[in-house]
Amino acid sequence: MTKWIRWPGLVAFLVITGLLVAGTVLFSGPLIAKGVELAGTRIVGARVDVASARPGLFPLGLRLSGIEVTDPNEPMTNAIEIAGIRMKMDASALMLGKVDVREMAVEGIRMGTPRRVSGALPEKKKEEKKKMTVPSVMDRLPMPSMEIPDVSVILERASLGSLEEADRLERTLREEYERFEQRLRNLPDADDFAAYRTRIEDLRKGGGLAGVLAGARELREIKVDVDKDMLALRRARQEMEESVADLRRRIRSLKNMATNDVHELVSRYGISSEGLSNMTGLLLGPEWEAHLRKGLGLYRRVEPLLSRAREREKKPEPEKPMRREGTDIVFAESPLRPDFLIRRATLSLEIPAGSLKGSLRNATAQQPMVGSPMELDFKGDQLSGLESIGVQLVFDRVTPQVPADHFWLGGKGWQPGAMGSGDLTFLADRADFTLDLQNRSGVLKGRVELDFSGVSWEMADSGDSVRAAVASGLRGVDRIAVEADLTGTLEKPKLRISSSLDTVVREAVTRAAREATEALRIRLTEEVQAQTDERIRELERQLGGVAGLRQILDERLNLAGRLNI
């Protein structure tokens, strides 16, 4: 019965197969770890390290340990560090060249841990410099000014429209005076009219009929010439009068321009209700802005990975060369499977407050094949300084043309530390918060709500009246409700923060701000008007020089009129 078996061949087959299996188990781990490092580094843009990888055959799976993902913006910090990942994979999918993870457990996830060596890539340093020059969100928000600079400092920095117009008037007056002075040289003067008078007197002395007739003809010619000269003088005088009137009007308008300058300076350096309404931005803005930028930056790195399916669909299929003979039959895959899929995973996230348990479902870049969005959630209770917290993320690319992602964060019983700027800080015994953010086709729509209770304030006494009014108004505030709206796009997010604190502070400091601003207005008016009046006196003196040229024109016209032709 066993004659058909070739025992030497069977033994050789078993030995070779065993060696291959043993070799795969023993030596494929480093290759897998290296492949994960290279792929992760290319995706993240910073170094990804894997301490070890160990494949398993029965059941088919993989175990990774010591995974460190560098934060591209902080090379000496890990954005994520994972103690270990265990996964079980579908063998039939792997034979088709696809990765289908049926179950996965991710343990010991930590964020923001220090690195022993830098994880920066050489070519990424230039990009980091570019990012440092991008203006922050809060830089674009108007921040309230609690101090009024000295008037001399304000005027030194300011560019006053009235004084700039005075400079232009001074140049115009000088040019007009030179232009009319040159024109007077080309117009008939007293010598020309004296010559006319001499010729007229000589003609009137002539005798005889012929002499009288010749004299009459020459007198008519003289009269034509004198009329032309008078016409030229009158036109010059008319033009000069119009120029003097326009210059005088512009000089008179300097006072109104000085008044407008004062209004503009007061609105810029005075304490306005608009600035006071942004008190919440002063207190919370810098810290919130840092969290916002970091979160959006991480999302922008993940988002292209989720859109790969859509990009792949847009690319035209390469034309296949015509085969000369035979038939290539490709059997349809049933069911369709994505190239990479994690069906479900359990997660363990460690944060400074404690441990969070979470789950991950349908992680793939080809969601239309799965028919469900990728979902990620974490929950934690009874943490250090935090009663409970929940995080939910949904990356919905089931319809690639209309991507819609949703992020929700909620927490209760948070015990925040000191918050605010160096000038004004506050402490709170407890805070509850929610964050609801959506990104639909690149357009952001989000809202943040916080409820601080048991609030106390710390504000340095600088002797400033406005600061004293703020401190007095805040003294009775022990609860703050904060709201923030996030709009715009991923490239240009817009954050607007408001709270019940704004109204309280505005009412408390309105009178002090109004008095300080009015005092600034009076001092600026005195200084600006004094400078303007001095320039007006100088300009009127120069305008008098131009008017003096007009008197010369009048004298020449009088000489022409007295010729009595």
Side-chain angles (χ1 to χ4, degrees):
M1 183 175 179
T2 57
K3 291 181 179 178
W4 58 274
I5 300 176
R6 296 181 179 178
W7 291 103
L10 178 61
V11 172
F13 171 76
L14 293 176
V15 171
I16 294 173
T17 303
L19 290 175
L20 289 175
V21 171
T24 301
V25 174
L26 293 176
F27 302 108
S28 63
L31 297 178
I32 294 174
K34 193 64 178 178
V36 173
E37 288 180 348
L38 293 175
T41 300
R42 185 175 65 255
I43 294 172
V44 175
R47 186 171 167 180
V48 174
D49 299 312
V50 178
S52 66
R54 191 172 64 183
L57 294 178
F58 306 105
L60 184 64
L62 179 65
R63 175 173 294 184
L64 302 174
S65 61
I67 303 166
E68 297 181 352
V69 180
T70 305
D71 186 340
N73 298 321
E74 299 179 21
M76 292 304 295
T77 302
N78 289 318
I80 300 176
E81 182 177 355
I82 302 174
I85 299 177
R86 292 180 288 108
M87 61 183 79
K88 296 178 181 178
M89 295 184 288
D90 187 335
S92 60
L94 198 61
M95 294 178 67
L96 295 174
K98 300 185 177 183
V99 178
D100 188 345
V101 180
R102 297 290 182 177
E103 293 183 6
M104 186 168 75
V106 185
E107 299 173 343
I109 304 174
R110 294 187 297 165
M111 305 176 73
T113 58
R115 290 182 59 87
R116 292 185 297 275
V117 295
S118 173
L121 300 179
E123 62 274 14
K124 297 301 291 181
K125 293 182 178 178
K126 296 181 179 178
E127 295 184 7
E128 290 170 1
K129 289 184 178 178
K130 289 182 180 178
K131 290 182 179 180
M132 294 299 289
T133 61
V134 176
S136 67
V137 175
M138 293 306 300
D139 287 342
R140 297 192 290 272
L141 290 177
M143 302 298 289
S145 174
M146 303 293 289
E147 295 181 352
I148 297 178
D150 186 76
V151 171
S152 60
V153 175
I154 293 176
L155 294 178
E156 185 178 347
R157 296 173 181 171
S159 177
L160 300 180
S162 56
L163 297 184
E164 291 178 353
E165 173 66 5
D167 292 338
R168 289 191 291 271
L169 273 171
E170 188 174 356
R171 290 194 297 271
T172 303
L173 277 167
R174 187 166 53 250
E175 293 169 358
E176 288 293 277
Y177 182 85
E178 294 173 355
R179 184 168 72 89
F180 283 112
E181 190 179 41
Q182 178 63 33
R183 192 166 179 179
L184 278 176
R185 295 193 190 98
N186 299 326
L187 289 173
D189 55 11
D191 295 338
D192 295 325
F193 292 114
Y196 282 134
R197 181 175 297 281
T198 302
R199 289 174 59 191
I200 293 170
E201 291 175 355
D202 293 341
L203 288 173
R204 286 175 177 169
K205 291 177 181 177
L209 179 59
V212 172
L213 292 175
R217 185 171 55 253
E218 191 171 351
L219 279 174
R220 284 196 297 273
E221 294 175 354
I222 292 174
K223 186 175 186 308
V224 172
D225 293 339
V226 171
D227 287 344
K228 289 181 180 177
D229 291 344
M230 291 182 68
L231 180 60
L233 290 170
R234 288 194 182 99
R235 286 178 177 172
R237 188 179 187 283
Q238 178 66 26
E239 188 175 342
M240 188 178 295
E241 283 183 346
E242 292 175 354
S243 176
V244 169
D246 181 64
L247 291 169
R248 182 170 285 115
R249 180 187 58 77
R250 291 175 60 183
I251 292 173
R252 288 173 180 170
S253 69
L254 288 178
K255 284 188 172 295
N256 292 332
M257 296 182 70
T259 302
N260 294 334
D261 287 337
V262 172
H263 287 321
E264 184 177 347
L265 292 175
V266 170
S267 63
R268 185 185 306 173
Y269 294 100
I271 301 175
S272 65
S273 58
E274 180 180 0
L276 294 172
S277 66
N278 196 34
M279 179 63 70
T280 310
L282 175 65
L283 291 172
L284 305 176
E287 295 181 30
W288 284 29
E289 183 236 359
H291 295 313
L292 173 66
R293 291 183 62 191
K294 196 164 186 175
L296 290 179
L298 181 60
Y299 174 80
R300 290 180 65 179
R301 288 190 171 277
V302 173
E303 198 269 345
L305 303 179
L306 302 173
S307 304
R308 283 189 173 181
R310 182 173 52 176
E311 295 174 358
R312 192 173 300 155
E313 290 175 359
K314 292 180 179 178
K315 294 180 180 178
E317 292 291 336
E319 294 185 2
K320 296 181 178 178
M322 297 293 294
R323 299 176 64 91
R324 294 184 177 178
E325 58 182 8
T327 303
D328 188 7
I329 300 175
V330 179
F331 292 94
E333 182 181 352
S334 179
L336 288 175
R337 298 186 182 193
D339 295 336
F340 180 84
L341 171 64
I342 300 175
R343 295 184 180 276
R344 57 181 175 273
T346 58
L347 311 173
S348 175
L349 174 63
E350 297 178 3
I351 60 176
S355 298
L356 305 181
K357 300 297 182 183
S359 63
L360 173 67
R361 291 179 291 278
N362 301 322
T364 178
Q366 295 168 288
Q367 292 183 12
M369 292 185 182
V370 180
S372 299
M374 173 180 167
E375 299 179 7
L376 175 68
D377 65 74
F378 284 100
K379 291 181 180 178
D381 297 309
Q382 303 301 322
L383 305 174
S384 176
L386 184 63
E387 290 181 3
S388 64
I389 186 171
V391 182
Q392 295 178 1
L393 293 97
V394 178
F395 300 99
D396 190 350
R397 307 303 166 93
V398 177
T399 305
Q401 294 77 14
V402 188
D405 300 333
H406 183 206
F407 173 66
W408 182 89
L409 170 68
K412 292 185 177 180
W414 176 36
Q415 298 174 3
M419 304 182 72
S421 67
D423 298 327
L424 179 63
T425 58
F426 75 94
L427 301 170
D429 294 337
R430 175 192 173 98
D432 299 333
F433 58 89
T434 59
L435 165 62
D436 195 336
L437 175 62
Q438 295 182 15
N439 172 31
R440 185 174 291 275
S441 300
V443 179
L444 297 177
K445 182 181 180 182
R447 186 172 181 79
V448 182
E449 295 181 353
L450 286 99
D451 183 9
F452 293 99
S453 58
V455 173
S456 60
W457 300 89
E458 293 182 359
M459 185 172 184
D461 184 8
S462 62
D464 182 82
S465 60
V466 178
R467 291 176 182 274
V470 172
S472 175
L474 294 177
R475 194 168 295 123
V477 177
D478 60 356
R479 191 182 190 94
I480 306 173
V482 181
E483 297 178 350
D485 292 318
L486 178 62
T487 57
T489 62
L490 282 174
E491 293 73 20
K492 295 182 179 180
K494 297 178 181 178
L495 180 66
R496 180 172 181 80
I497 306 173
S498 61
S499 76
S500 57
L501 185 66
D502 298 333
T503 303
V504 174
V505 173
R506 187 187 303 115
E507 292 176 352
V509 302
T510 294
R511 173 177 291 182
R514 188 183 299 122
E515 292 176 352
T517 302
E518 186 58 27
L520 173 66
R521 185 190 306 280
I522 293 173
R523 292 164 58 194
L524 280 173
T525 300
E526 293 175 352
E527 292 293 332
V528 173
Q529 290 293 355
Q531 294 185 22
T532 306
D533 289 345
E534 182 179 354
R535 298 299 302 272
I536 289 176
R537 286 193 294 272
E538 176 61 23
L539 291 170
E540 287 179 341
R541 187 188 66 77
Q542 296 183 21
L543 184 63
V546 178
L549 298 177
R550 184 180 59 184
Q551 187 175 358
I552 295 175
L553 278 175
D554 290 341
E555 291 175 354
R556 295 183 184 182
L557 284 170
N558 289 332
L559 291 173
R562 288 198 297 268
L563 289 176
N564 192 20
I565 301 175

